[in-house]
């Protein structure tokens, strides 16, 4: 049985493709939305980066390998904050790359308002937004 196989894409093309599926959010807009209770900030950076650079106050810390399990509103291992598929989730990684792939994965779970932070934690910090020690 022979079939046509799709050509593999590189990571840059993949990022471009997944980002076309949603609107990314800038740090100040994410901060304001979180302050109004309109968005859940989710920090997926690994522990060494959180220890080195600090935390975003109020952000839910979820290791990347647990993200889908913790944010699926129907999942048995969901975080208490994962209340609905309508939840606006803002995924934050270190520089805004891994978070794009994570947001796309959340879209596949039905979290249609999931997005990621342009520039990640580093852009948040550079914007002068609150950071606390880990």
């Amino acid at each position: 049985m022979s079939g046509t196989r799709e050509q593999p894409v590189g990571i840059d093309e993949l990022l471009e493709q997944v980002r076309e599926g949603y609107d990314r959010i800038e740090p100040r807009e994410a901060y304001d939305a979180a302050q109004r209770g309109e968005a859940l900030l989710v920090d997926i950076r690994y522990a060494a980066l959180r220890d080195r650079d600090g935390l975003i106050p109020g952000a839910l810390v979820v290791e990347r390998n647990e993200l889908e399990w913790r944010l699926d509103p129907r999942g048995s291992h969901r975080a208490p904050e994962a209340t609905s598929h309508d939840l606006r989730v803002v995924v934050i990684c270190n520089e805004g790359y891994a978070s794009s792939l994570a947001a796309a994965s959340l879209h596949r779970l039905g979290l249609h308002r999931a997005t990621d932070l342009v520039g990640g934690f580093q852009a948040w910090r550079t914007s002068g937004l609150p950071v606390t020690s880990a």
Side-chain angles (χ1 to χ4, degrees), residues 15 19 22 24-25 44-45 91-101 116-123:
L15 277 172
R19 288 173 175 170
Y22 61 91
R24 300 180 79 210
I25 190 169
I44 63 168
R45 293 175 299 140
V91 183
I92 303 164
C93 68
N94 194 48
E95 294 181 342
Y97 296 100
S99 57
S100 295
L101 300 175
D116 75 312
L117 188 70
V118 175
F121 178 86
Q122 297 306 323

Side-chain angles (χ1 to χ4, degrees), residues 16-30:
E16 186 177 312
Q17 288 174 5
V18 299
R19 288 173 175 170
E20 288 173 0
Y22 61 91
D23 292 323
R24 300 180 79 210
I25 190 169
E26 296 287 337
R28 174 56 65 178
E29 183 184 355

Side-chain angles (χ1 to χ4, degrees), residues 19-77:
R19 288 173 175 170
E20 288 173 0
Y22 61 91
D23 292 323
R24 300 180 79 210
I25 190 169
E26 296 287 337
R28 174 56 65 178
E29 183 184 355
Y31 173 78
D32 291 343
Q35 291 299 301
R36 292 189 305 267
E38 298 172 358
L40 174 64
L41 305 180
V42 179
D43 186 344
I44 63 168
R45 293 175 299 140
Y46 53 89
L49 289 176
R50 294 191 311 267
D51 291 345
R52 182 188 78 190
D53 294 338
L55 301 168
I56 295 173
L60 176 64
V61 174
V62 177
E63 295 283 337
R64 173 61 190 100
N65 64 328
E66 298 178 359
L67 183 69
E68 291 81 359
W69 285 267
R70 303 291 287 147
L71 291 182
D72 178 2
R74 297 184 302 191
S76 58
H77 299 290

Side-chain angles (χ1 to χ4, degrees), residues 72-113:
D72 178 2
R74 297 184 302 191
S76 58
H77 299 290
R78 74 174 182 82
E81 295 87 348
T83 56
S84 161
H85 285 95
D86 291 326
L87 182 65
R88 186 177 187 196
V89 175
V90 178
V91 183
I92 303 164
C93 68
N94 194 48
E95 294 181 342
Y97 296 100
S99 57
S100 295
L101 300 175
S105 181
L106 293 178
H107 276 254
R108 288 192 295 274
L109 278 178
L111 290 153
H112 61 97
R113 297 180 68 208

